[in-house]
Amino acid sequence: MLFDTHTHINDESFDADFSEVLARAQQAEVGRMIVVGVDRPTIERVFPIIDQHKFIYGAIGWNPEDAIDMTDADFAMIKRGLTHPGIVALGEIGLDYHWDKSPKSVQHDVFRRQIRLAKDAGLPLIIHSREATEDVARILSEEHAETIGGVMHCYSDDWTWAERFIDLNFYISFGGPVTFKNAQLQRETATKVPIERLLIETDCPFLSPHPFRGKRNEPARVRLVAEKIAELKGLSLEEVAEQTTQNALRCFRIDESSENG
């Protein structure tokens, strides 16, 4: 069974066919997934999903693009939410220098506050890094994030940086872009990342893999990511599914025999 470690199935684009989306995931042998909330509306939508579906786990955090909007009340909401037994990570958090909405200094402050919160809660991190790799690595190191570890979500940098993040106790996760024809860097990196440190994801409804690029993504398509990883590493789909699922259970400290909330 496959584990989609990063979904936004709490997105409004799934409202009309949510049960069908989950059914298609089951048919594609996606047995577990994580639903991620990144602001107040999407965080609030995480909890009903994880309460109703025992093999869907939650992650909550404040995304870097909107760092300037995060209030003390929002921080307190995240802190409270982390106590829910179905929440297995804090994220996605990090730095995003692509958009110009939140100044770097504000992003850095919000990032550090949330790393410290995750450490207090004993939860791993889900890291969003866009055009900010050096600062992300520096802040993770300065905050001793290796004590809790986590995952570099939808990884798009080279092997040199991936090796550094692995040394900081992070897993490297690949999504739909690894299947794109122009994604040579991701494929080269995925080939070099040890299978024991690799995760797979969709980031749905975004980043749909080939041949569905540009269409709404959904958890069933994590199978296409796994197939590409298997091809790159000369492994069977079953081997990739087994190893990446075990990696996810270990990363997010999920007891395979237990049920959440």
Side-chain angles (χ1 to χ4, degrees):
M1 297 291 276
L2 297 155
F3 194 139
D4 185 351
T5 60
H6 199 109
T7 78
H8 298 279
I9 55 169
N10 48 341
D11 189 87
E12 292 177 353
S13 65
F14 293 111
D15 286 354
D17 62 343
F18 186 82
S19 60
E20 290 91 341
V21 167
L22 294 188
R24 285 192 291 271
Q26 197 71 27
Q27 290 164 7
E29 298 187 303
V30 181
R32 290 179 173 86
M33 63 185 78
I34 293 176
V35 55
V36 181
V38 298
D39 55 22
R40 184 170 283 273
T42 58
I43 288 170
E44 289 173 348
R45 288 168 66 102
V46 163
F47 295 98
I49 294 172
I50 64 176
D51 284 340
Q52 293 168 29
H53 303 276
K54 68 179 182 178
F55 292 120
I56 302 179
Y57 309 93
I60 58 173
W62 203 266
N63 74 88
E65 303 100 295
D66 298 324
I68 198 166
D69 297 326
M70 191 182 82
T71 65
D72 287 340
D74 295 323
F75 185 82
M77 173 191 64
I78 293 169
K79 184 176 182 178
R80 287 192 305 273
L82 295 180
T83 64
H84 187 292
I87 296 294
V88 297
L90 195 158
E92 62 191 271
I93 65 171
L95 302 175
D96 192 315
Y97 294 168
H98 182 77
W99 305 108
D100 197 30
K101 180 180 177 182
S102 296
K104 291 181 181 179
S105 60
V106 176
Q107 290 194 43
H108 292 188
D109 179 61
V110 167
F111 189 21
R112 289 182 189 274
R113 285 185 74 190
Q114 292 185 94
I115 294 171
R116 293 167 190 170
L117 181 59
K119 289 171 70 177
D120 288 343
L123 288 172
L125 298 162
I126 297 175
I127 301 298
H128 172 115
S129 175
R130 190 173 188 186
E131 299 173 19
T133 313
E134 188 170 343
D135 283 348
V136 166
R138 176 177 57 81
I139 289 172
L140 288 173
S141 181
E142 290 173 356
E143 295 293 335
H144 297 288
E146 71 276 1
T147 60
I148 48 174
V151 54
M152 303 303 298
H153 145 65
C154 210
Y155 191 76
S156 60
D157 282 298
D158 62 19
W159 164 240
T160 301
W161 280 112
E163 196 169 24
R164 182 165 175 184
F165 289 121
I166 290 169
D167 287 343
L168 283 168
N169 195 24
F170 281 79
Y171 290 80
I172 308 298
S173 183
F174 293 94
V178 78
T179 70
F180 297 169
K181 293 178 181 178
N182 63 347
Q184 187 61 30
L185 179 63
Q186 283 98 325
R187 285 194 290 276
E188 288 176 359
T189 306
T191 302
K192 293 178 180 178
V193 172
I195 189 67
E196 297 81 10
R197 301 299 297 187
L198 197 147
L199 298 175
I200 54 175
E201 63 172 275
T202 56
D203 198 25
C204 65
F206 316 108
L207 300 176
S208 205
H210 177 81
F212 301 102
R213 189 172 183 178
K215 299 179 180 179
R216 187 194 70 172
N217 201 4
E218 59 179 72
R221 293 181 187 159
V222 79
R223 187 181 183 93
L224 296 172
V225 178
E227 288 172 351
K228 177 56 69 171
I229 296 295
E231 174 192 321
L232 292 171
K233 290 192 165 294
L235 299 170
S236 68
L237 175 62
E238 291 73 20
E239 287 172 313
V240 170
E242 170 68 19
Q243 184 65 62
T244 55
T245 294
Q246 290 304 315
N247 294 348
L249 294 171
R250 189 165 57 249
C251 175
F252 298 109
R253 302 174 189 120
I254 296 168
D255 181 349
E256 199 169 3
S257 65
S258 70
E259 301 176 3
N260 74 43

